[in-house]
Amino acid sequence: LGECPVPENYSLQIRQGFCIAAPSSWSILNIDGGMALILHTTPGQTISIRPDWADSADICQLFIYIASESIESSHLQIRYNEIALNAGLSEITPIGILVLGGNSFVGFQWADTSETGGIYALSLSTNRLLHISHRGKDCAVDKLKEVFTTFRIQ
């Protein structure tokens, strides 16, 4: 909770309900109204960040939004079941408590033959659920830890 730390050469990104700082060389991608509607959120509560080593979202993308949902387990189980059906899946962790940059979330991580990823959630209040996910061909959670340490719920 609180203000996001902003290391040198990082840019602060503030959305409704959270803030995060990312290296200034990383791409900040805003989400349009159509995509936000599908996610049960608004553009002001959503951000997508692509690291500078990723020339496309296929390489690595971090996605954060606040959805009009309340239950972490339901939110995650739907996504877990979808990923578990992947024929190329080589690893999937059980849904459990994971720490990202000093913040605890409920979530899981996975890998298949072409990419890795993770999906995490935190219930903020009734009908407000924080969703964080990352995925890509070169997108292990360890490569994003510098950004996760700046994340704060507001």
Side-chain angles (χ1 to χ4, degrees):
L1 293 174
E3 296 294 317
C4 281
V6 183
E8 188 174 337
N9 297 319
Y10 275 52
S11 62
L12 178 62
Q13 302 296 318
I14 299 172
R15 299 297 186 269
Q16 295 171 8
F18 66 90
C19 61
I20 191 167
S24 298
S25 59
W26 289 24
S27 298
I28 307 302
L29 310 168
N30 290 311
I31 305 303
D32 67 20
M35 177 60 99
L37 183 63
I38 292 168
L39 298 172
H40 305 288
T41 188
T42 65
Q45 298 181 103
T46 309
I47 191 169
S48 179
I49 302 172
R50 192 174 65 223
D52 55 4
W53 74 84
D55 57 0
S56 72
D58 291 343
I59 304 299
C60 188
Q61 186 168 9
L62 174 62
F63 193 46
I64 305 170
Y65 65 92
I66 295 177
S68 297
E69 299 178 47
S70 298
I71 303 171
E72 297 161 351
S73 59
S74 299
H75 181 83
L76 291 168
Q77 193 65 54
I78 290 166
R79 286 144 184 88
Y80 188 91
N81 293 345
E82 290 171 356
I83 290 171
L85 293 174
N86 180 346
L89 190 66
S90 59
E91 177 185 355
I92 189 166
T93 65
I95 294 173
I97 302 294
L98 297 166
V99 177
L100 304 174
N103 298 297
S104 295
F105 300 95
V106 179
F108 65 95
Q109 296 171 346
W110 55 271
D112 66 22
T113 55
S114 63
E115 64 181 6
T116 60
I119 301 176
Y120 319 94
L122 180 66
S123 180
L124 301 175
S125 64
T126 303
N127 216 26
R128 283 181 47 87
L129 182 128
L130 177 72
H131 168 105
I132 298 176
S133 60
H134 60 92
R135 77 181 305 158
K137 295 175 185 173
D138 187 17
C139 204
V141 68
D142 290 346
K143 295 189 94 171
L144 303 171
K145 66 182 175 184
E146 63 190 88
V147 172
F148 285 130
T149 61
T150 71
F151 178 82
R152 299 292 186 275
I153 297 166
Q154 296 184 310

